[in-house]
Amino acid sequence: MTMRTHYCGELRSGDVGSEVTVCGWVDTRRVHSEHLAFIDLRDHTGIVQCVVDEKLDLRSEYVVAITGTVRTRFEGKSNEKLQTGEIEIGDCEVQVLSVAEPPPFPMHERTDVDENIRLRHRYVDLRKPRMQKNLRIRAKVNSAIRSAMEKQGFVEIETPMLIASTPEGARDFVVPSRLHPTNFYALPQSPQIFKQLCMVGGIDRYYQIARCLRDEDLRADRQFEFMQLDMEASFANQEDIINFVSEAIKDSTEAITGLRPDEIPHMTWNEAMERFGSDKPDTRFGMELVDLTEIFEGTDANVFKVDCVKGILYEGGSDALARNAIDALTEKCQSWGARGLAWFRVGDEGNLDGALTKFMSDDEIEGIHASLSAQPGDMILIIADKRRTVNHVLGLLRLEIGRPPVNSGELKYLWITEFPLFESVGDHGRPIPAHHPFTMPHLEDLEKLNSAQGEEYLEIRSQAYDLVLNGWELGSGSVRIHTPEIQSKIFEILGIGEVEANEKFGFLLDAFRYGAPPHAGFAFGIDRLAAILSGEENIREIIAFPKTQSGADPLTNAPTQLENNHLEELGLRLIPPST
RNA sequence: GGUCCCGUGGUGCAGUUUGGAGUGCACGCCGCCCUGUCAAGGCGGAGGUCGCGGGUUCAAAUCCCGUCGGGACCGCCA
C-alpha cells in the first residue's frame, strides 16, 4: 500500500465517492470547535479542504497524511478560488508524520518577506507556490532545451569543473591543489576552450547545460554561479547557429507560455547603439535616441559644440518631471559620465522652455522640435558629448525613464549582430578584444585588419552576435577563427607574441594544427530566460539556493573560514586582512 | 572602487522630517468559546538590545559619525 493515492490539488468532482490518502503540509486551519474543523492540506499541486470532526492538535506546517472519502461540498459552499473547490475530503483519519514549529514568516503570499529571512529558511520558502512554480518552470525550460538540441543532432558532453586558469575575461574562482602545492585550479567561466576542442575532436555538434562561475559583483541578473546552454557546431556559420539557438529558445518559450514566438528579429550592433544606446536594447518601448548633431553645426551654444548631440522625447514628461526630479536625473547622467543634461519643456504653443534656449537660434529650436516630433506637454532630454558617451548615457536615461518591469508579460527577443571586434584601444594603441581573441572578423572587414590604425580598429566588425530578451543579455556567441593565418594576425594586432600565445592558449593552437573544422557557437543564460518566463525580475527567484548580493548564503553561512590543519594540508597561509 | 534605498516584538508596516516614557496598526503565536468555514469569527494574553558601536543632548528609534547586514544601480562581468 503506497502512502499516497492522490495529490491534493488534483482531486475533482470525478473523484467523489473514492477513498483517498493525501499527504502534505497543513496550510490554513479553520477550527470551529472540537466537533468541526477545516484543514487545508497543501502539496506542490495545490490545496484540498479536509473536514475533521474530532479534536486534533494540528498546527501550521505539520506534515500529515489524511485518509478520507471525497465528497461534494454542501450546496452553496464551494470555493471558486480553489481548483479543488467543488469537493472536500470527509470522514478524515489524520496521521501526523511530523510536527512543525510555527513558520518563520507567513506562508501566504500577500506580503513580501525580507529576502534575507527567506533565504535563511529557504527550505520553508521553497514550499510556497511561487517557488514551486518557478522551479518547475525552470525544469521545463531545461527539458525543452535538451529536446530541442537533441532533435537538431547535438550531443551532450560534460566538461571539467577543475581547469587551468586563463588570464582573459572575468575573475576566476580558484581551488588550491593538494597534490600540487602552490598550484591552483580555476572553476570554469564557461566551457569555451573545451567545446572548441570537441569540434577538433569530431563531435560535430556539442551542447551542454553547463554551470559557469565568475567571481564578479552580483546583480539582479547575475550570480556567481549560473547555468548556460552552451553549444558549438562544426561546418556551421552564423546563420546556422542563430537558427539552432532560436529553435531552442522558441521551444522552451512555447513549453512555458503555450505560444510559439515569431521569427526573432535581427539588428546590427551599430543600429542598436544609435537607436537605443545599448547593445542589449529593450525594444518593448520606444523613446528612441534621435541624432541632433547636424542641427547644432555652427551653434553659438557652447554645450552643443561637441562631437555628438542626441535627444529623447519623453511624452507627457513636462508634467511628470518636476524640477527636483530633473535635477536628480541630471546628477545620474553625470554619474554615468555625461557633463550634464539639457532639457526642454514643450509649451502649449509648441515653444521650447528651458535654460539653454537663450543660447540657441530659432532654427536650432525648430530643428529639435521637429526631429523629435514633440507635442505640447512633452519633455525633450538631450545629451551632448562624444558619440560613445552620448549613446551610453542617453541609453541609460531612456531605461531610467521609460522601462517597463522586465516581467510585464511581453517577450521581445532580438538578435544583435556585427559586434565590433575590438571594444577599445589601449594605452599603446593596441585594440582590446570585445569578445575573445578567437572571434572571427566580419569577412567584409578582413582587409581593414591590415590597414587600421588607432581608433580605426573600433570600426572592424566581427562575426559575434548576442541574443537579447526585454533588455537582458541572454547570451552571446561567435564564429571562431580556425585558420592559423587569421589567428596570427589577430594575436599580432593584440600584441600577443608567439611565446605568450603558446603559454596562454598553446593547447588550443596545438589542437588547431591537427585539422580543425570551421566552427561557431553560442551560449545563453538559462537563469535569465527562466526568470523572465516566470515573470520574475530577479534570477534569485528561480534558483533554489542563491547567494545574496555580497555573495553569501544566509542558509549555510558560506563562505566560511577553514581550520588551520585544513589550510596546512593545502599549503596555504592566510594574510590577515589589512585594517 | 562608487552612488542611492532599507534595518522598529515571529512577519509586514507606521512612528524618524520638527528629540520628550517602547506609542500604534495588520498578520502570526498562546489560552478559552464556537458544528460549514475557506485570509473563519468572538474574548483574553504573551512577545522589543528600535541591527551594532560611539558622539551630541537634561533627554535619542528620531540628530551626527562609524560599522554590520539586505536590496537597486554605475564600474566590473573577454
Side-chain angles (χ1 to χ4, degrees):
Chain A
M1 185 71 186
T2 56
M3 186 177 274
R4 170 169 59 195
T5 63
H6 291 76
Y7 286 112
C8 297
E10 294 178 344
L11 292 170
R12 293 291 182 274
S13 302
D15 298 303
V16 167
S18 353
E19 184 180 277
V20 299
T21 299
V22 289
C23 298
W25 286 263
V26 173
D27 205 81
T28 51
R29 298 151 290 148
R30 295 169 295 281
V31 180
H32 285 255
S33 72
E34 60 186 53
H35 305 295
L36 178 67
F38 299 96
I39 307 297
D40 285 345
L41 193 67
R42 184 191 70 241
D43 62 22
H44 73 273
T45 62
I47 279 171
V48 66
Q49 172 167 288
C50 306
V51 185
V52 172
D53 57 5
E54 58 182 321
K55 186 173 185 182
L56 286 174
D57 189 23
L58 290 178
R59 310 282 171 126
S60 276
E61 300 305 306
Y62 275 26
V63 181
V64 298
I66 293 179
T67 302
T69 307
V70 179
R71 65 193 189 198
T72 307
R73 292 197 185 187
F74 292 177
E75 185 73 28
K77 299 295 182 186
S78 60
N79 183 349
E80 289 173 6
K81 291 185 217 162
L82 290 182
Q83 290 190 302
T84 59
E86 295 283 315
I87 57 94
E88 63 191 11
I89 300 177
D91 305 322
C92 289
E93 187 183 314
V94 179
Q95 186 187 359
V96 175
L97 303 172
S98 282
V99 298
E101 290 180 20
F105 41 73
M107 294 302 290
H108 65 72
E109 297 190 296
R110 295 188 297 279
T111 51
D112 287 333
V113 179
D114 183 87
E115 212 181 330
N116 203 27
I117 294 166
R118 289 176 59 200
L119 292 183
R120 193 177 306 146
H121 303 277
R122 190 60 151 182
Y123 39 83
V124 178
D125 191 49
L126 292 179
R127 276 181 217 154
K128 293 188 181 183
R130 177 190 195 173
M131 290 303 299
Q132 289 286 326
K133 181 198 75 154
N134 289 354
L135 293 179
R136 285 178 161 79
I137 284 176
R138 186 193 178 107
K140 272 191 190 173
V141 168
N142 275 332
S143 174
I145 287 171
R146 283 213 162 85
S147 306
M149 297 314 286
E150 276 163 22
K151 108 188 152 192
Q152 297 182 104
F154 285 78
V155 180
E156 183 173 11
I157 308 264
E158 288 150 0
T159 53
M161 293 298 286
L162 296 171
I163 66 175
S165 176
T166 51
E168 267 69 29
R171 195 178 294 114
D172 284 324
F173 278 101
V174 295
V175 178
S177 163
R178 174 180 58 87
L179 295 178
H180 304 272
T182 75
N183 288 272
F184 292 81
Y185 300 97
L187 302 176
Q189 299 171 23
S190 79
Q192 180 63 38
I193 303 281
F194 290 100
K195 66 178 174 178
Q196 292 191 246
L197 295 175
C198 284
M199 295 302 99
V200 181
I203 298 299
D204 196 59
R205 291 179 183 177
Y206 145 95
Y207 88 98
Q208 178 179 196
I209 291 184
R211 185 175 301 271
C212 305
L213 299 105
R214 295 176 189 174
D215 187 4
E216 299 290 348
D217 288 359
L218 291 75
R219 290 286 161 76
D221 60 352
R222 276 163 36 187
Q223 284 269 305
F224 281 155
E225 24 185 334
F226 57 98
M227 304 302 287
Q228 288 195 331
L229 166 70
D230 192 52
M231 59 86 77
E232 193 82 14
S234 296
F235 311 106
N237 58 23
Q238 172 172 317
E239 191 187 345
D240 296 325
I241 299 297
I242 284 179
N243 287 338
F244 289 137
V245 175
S246 294
E247 187 69 8
I249 287 287
K250 288 178 189 175
D251 282 2
S252 42
T253 304
E254 187 176 6
I256 305 306
T257 66
L259 295 172
R260 192 165 185 81
D262 294 333
E263 212 44 42
I264 299 173
H266 293 211
M267 186 184 292
T268 65
W269 180 87
N270 199 55
E271 183 179 355
M273 294 307 294
E274 291 298 326
R275 286 176 58 194
F276 299 97
S278 171
D279 60 2
K280 44 180 179 179
D282 190 339
T283 51
R284 290 175 300 162
F285 68 108
M287 211 182 265
E288 293 189 23
L289 282 54
V290 177
D291 201 324
L292 308 168
T293 310
E294 283 186 13
I295 294 170
F296 289 100
E297 268 177 26
T299 184
D300 292 328
N302 285 327
V303 289
F304 296 131
K305 292 177 181 170
V306 290
D307 292 352
C308 175
V309 181
K310 292 175 86 166
I312 55 175
L313 182 74
Y314 181 13
E315 287 177 24
S318 194
D319 288 334
L321 285 183
R323 184 56 201 259
N324 56 357
I326 298 173
D327 290 344
L329 285 179
T330 304
E331 279 178 30
K332 281 198 172 167
C333 289
Q334 287 167 340
S335 76
W336 293 329
R339 279 187 292 258
L341 172 67
W343 54 273
F344 304 93
R345 296 182 196 279
V346 183
D348 290 339
E349 312 297 318
N351 55 307
L352 291 192
D353 184 17
L356 292 168
T357 49
K358 59 175 176 276
F359 302 110
M360 293 159 56
S361 71
D362 290 348
D363 281 352
E364 287 166 6
I365 290 173
E366 178 51 35
I368 56 178
H369 196 287
S371 299
L372 286 155
S373 307
Q375 298 295 320
D378 292 346
M379 175 83 84
I380 291 169
L381 300 164
I382 294 176
I383 299 285
D385 214 304
K386 287 184 187 148
R387 180 161 291 271
R388 205 179 167 131
T389 306
V390 169
N391 285 339
H392 174 66
V393 174
L394 217 45
L396 289 172
L397 186 63
R398 170 180 176 268
L399 293 176
E400 179 76 22
I401 294 172
R403 187 178 196 181
V406 74
N407 55 0
S408 68
E410 205 178 353
L411 296 175
K412 286 281 192 184
Y413 292 104
L414 181 65
W415 285 103
I416 304 294
T417 60
E418 298 183 16
F419 268 67
L421 191 59
F422 306 108
E423 62 161 26
S424 59
V425 178
D427 294 339
H428 306 291
R430 293 197 181 283
I432 296 162
H435 196 53
H436 57 59
F438 313 110
T439 304
M440 187 72 161
H442 197 288
L443 294 179
E444 293 168 11
D445 292 353
L446 273 179
E447 284 305 307
K448 291 190 194 165
L449 275 181
N450 296 312
S451 60
Q453 298 277 319
E455 297 275 324
E456 290 167 13
Y457 278 118
L458 302 184
E459 291 164 20
I460 299 175
R461 293 166 297 167
S462 69
Q463 298 187 56
Y465 32 89
D466 272 14
L467 178 61
V468 174
L469 171 56
N470 293 4
W472 278 15
E473 181 194 319
L474 277 191
S476 57
S478 62
V479 177
R480 327 295 184 187
I481 297 169
H482 73 283
T483 62
E485 294 76 21
I486 297 176
Q487 190 64 68
S488 304
K489 184 69 202 172
I490 294 291
F491 281 153
E492 180 193 322
I493 291 171
L494 297 176
I496 299 175
E498 202 172 321
V499 175
E500 188 185 356
N502 274 321
E503 258 173 33
K504 288 179 176 175
F505 316 109
F507 54 97
L508 184 64
L509 301 177
D510 281 349
F512 283 180
R513 289 209 302 269
Y514 292 100
H519 58 287
F522 198 79
F524 68 79
I526 292 172
D527 308 81
R528 291 178 181 178
L529 177 60
I532 293 178
L533 291 178
S534 301
E536 296 289 357
E537 299 187 81
N538 193 306
I539 64 171
R540 292 189 297 273
E541 299 297 345
I542 50 91
I543 297 172
F545 301 102
K547 306 245 182 325
T548 65
Q549 196 165 63
S550 70
D553 177 4
L555 174 59
T556 63
N557 283 325
T560 60
Q561 301 196 327
L562 293 184
E563 299 289 337
N564 275 335
N565 56 2
H566 198 163
L567 290 169
E568 261 173 49
E569 186 175 49
L570 296 168
L572 296 177
R573 191 163 297 148
L574 299 180
I575 301 170
S578 54
T579 47

